[in-house]
Amino acid sequence: MTRSIVSITTVRQPSRMVRPRLSRTLRSPSTTVPPVSLASWRAYHDELFNLGVTPGQARILLYIQQHPRCYLQQCARALGLRSRTVGYPVQLFQRKRWVNKRRAPQDDRYVSLTLTRTGHALAKKIRQRLDDRFTSYRASAS
């Protein structure tokens, strides 16, 4: 779990809109994960945006990829979210044909999730981008 230590200052833009500016780095409580600069985080966010997903949606897709036929409740519990919080993106994924939902035969309350071919391709792209980003980050940190 990443804890962020961020101070927010407001900056006047020419259009008179006030936009928050983040001025520190995101830090992880773990000693194995180095601090991530906000510029790096924004670049990662932009890359995911170009793929059509948010960082939260990417986490859900990657979890489903790593745990095929997992239940919605398992995914939510593993990510520290509520079932409804995971359910909304899963509905979106189903409409985009990235995920298949199937009710468990023994109990209709349980829904198993699997990625479609399109979903697997997207998760693979996300994983590749993550690997590339952290490889370049580790190389620049050392």
Side-chain angles (χ1 to χ4, degrees):
M1 179 166 160
T2 303
R3 191 176 290 157
S4 65
I5 303 171
V6 178
S7 66
I8 299 178
T9 58
T10 56
V11 178
R12 287 274 177 200
Q13 298 288 327
S15 64
R16 297 186 185 237
M17 288 178 45
V18 176
R19 180 176 162 219
R21 177 186 287 173
L22 303 173
S23 61
R24 284 198 170 173
T25 60
L26 299 175
R27 296 181 187 221
S28 171
S30 169
T31 57
T32 59
V33 179
V36 178
S37 71
L38 288 174
S40 177
W41 174 252
R42 285 185 180 135
Y44 168 67
H45 189 273
D46 291 343
E47 286 178 16
L48 289 178
F49 182 76
N50 292 337
L51 292 175
V53 296
T54 65
Q57 292 171 346
R59 286 179 60 206
I60 294 169
L61 282 170
L62 292 175
Y63 182 84
I64 297 170
Q65 181 191 34
Q66 293 172 354
H67 303 90
R69 284 175 269 169
C70 67
Y71 292 117
L72 184 75
Q73 294 83 355
Q74 288 174 327
C75 181
R77 196 176 312 118
L79 298 174
L81 302 170
R82 294 182 184 169
S83 295
R84 284 188 178 192
T85 306
V86 173
Y88 293 125
V90 167
Q91 286 176 358
L92 175 70
F93 298 159
Q94 192 177 15
R95 274 188 262 130
K96 291 184 175 185
R97 300 189 193 281
W98 295 343
V99 169
N100 287 326
K101 285 172 45 173
R102 290 212 172 94
R103 296 242 176 233
Q106 65 274 20
D107 192 348
D108 284 344
R109 293 176 294 178
Y110 291 98
V111 177
S112 68
L113 305 171
T114 55
L115 292 178
T116 61
R117 288 183 183 181
T118 311
H120 272 292
L122 179 62
K124 188 175 179 180
K125 285 180 189 176
I126 293 169
R127 173 64 61 195
Q128 185 63 41
R129 301 256 172 113
L130 268 174
D131 291 345
D132 292 346
R133 177 147 306 278
F134 285 116
T135 302
S136 66
Y137 181 73
R138 285 186 186 141
S140 67
S142 58

